[in-house]
Amino acid sequence: KKAHSGSTAVEVTVAKYKSGQRMARIAESTSCAPYVVVGHQYNLGIWYLSTSPDNVIETYRHDERKGWVFWTDLKTLRATGTYKNASVRTPVIPAGTDQISFGVALYGNGTLITDDYSISDATIKATPTTCSAGAACTRGAWQVLPFPSPVRAIHTVLMYNGKVLFVAGSALCGFATSSTE
């Protein structure tokens, strides 16, 4: 498979389209799909190439009562012979949603290849805030959380604003993501 970066990508080919769709996306499992915050919006990014003009970025959400459900189509993508980056912003995360899954659906004949999925919280302000934690502002401070973390962190960093950045990834999921808790 032709990867945008690294050595692997997800490829879907449809030769005799009748109806429905085939999709390349982040796995819908509680161990792979990114956790989200109700009321926030997220920027989603995907690198893709496709021989078909019949592509759309789709999102699914994990409802705490219903499980995984279709959420919305966000952007139609054109055919392209070279990798293109597609980026979109989700609607506000609705109540009862704890995770999202997204990818590109192919609903016609052709080949679709996707790679380098990304997600970032668009609601968090990037402006620096003043630290009011005394010496912890310059030296940092750690404590054990009173609850289990849903993120299996590969690397963890205490940020200047007191938030913790987890960088997580799994070879089973096929992508890496970062989130703040």
Side-chain angles (χ1 to χ4, degrees):
K1 295 175 184 130
K2 299 176 190 174
H4 175 255
S5 69
S7 60
T8 59
V10 177
E11 181 176 328
V12 174
T13 299
V14 176
K16 296 179 181 179
Y17 178 77
K18 291 184 181 178
S19 66
Q21 68 185 23
R22 300 283 294 173
M23 188 163 189
R25 71 176 159 180
I26 295 173
E28 288 179 356
S29 77
T30 54
S31 64
C32 292
Y35 283 85
V36 293
V37 177
V38 171
H40 286 211
Q41 288 182 282
Y42 290 82
N43 294 323
L44 309 178
I46 299 173
W47 284 88
Y48 80 99
L49 60 87
S50 179
T51 61
S52 172
D54 304 320
N55 305 288
V56 65
I57 295 178
E58 283 190 354
T59 56
Y60 291 76
R61 64 184 194 86
H62 185 258
D63 184 282
E64 294 167 341
R65 288 177 280 133
K66 298 177 185 175
W68 286 102
V69 295
F70 172 77
W71 187 17
T72 188
D73 288 339
L74 292 173
K75 183 177 188 176
T76 301
L77 304 177
R78 293 184 239 172
T80 176
T82 59
Y83 268 103
K84 299 288 181 196
N85 182 263
S87 55
V88 294
R89 182 167 289 173
T90 68
V92 172
I93 302 294
T97 301
D98 59 353
Q99 291 175 283
I100 62 173
S101 176
F102 65 97
V104 181
L106 173 62
Y107 55 94
N109 289 329
T111 297
L112 164 68
I113 301 174
T114 62
D115 198 8
D116 296 332
Y117 289 61
S118 64
I119 181 171
S120 63
D121 191 329
T123 309
I124 295 176
K125 304 279 188 245
T127 56
T129 57
T130 304
C131 180
S132 61
C137 293
T138 56
R139 291 186 303 197
W142 294 92
Q143 68 183 27
V144 176
L145 295 172
F147 54 86
S149 172
V151 177
R152 291 187 182 147
I154 301 295
H155 186 72
T156 307
V157 178
L158 180 61
M159 306 284 285
Y160 68 90
N161 61 2
K163 293 188 178 201
V164 176
L165 172 68
F166 292 107
V167 178
S170 169
L172 299 174
C173 297
F175 76 101
T177 184
S178 63
S179 62
T180 56
E181 293 292 318

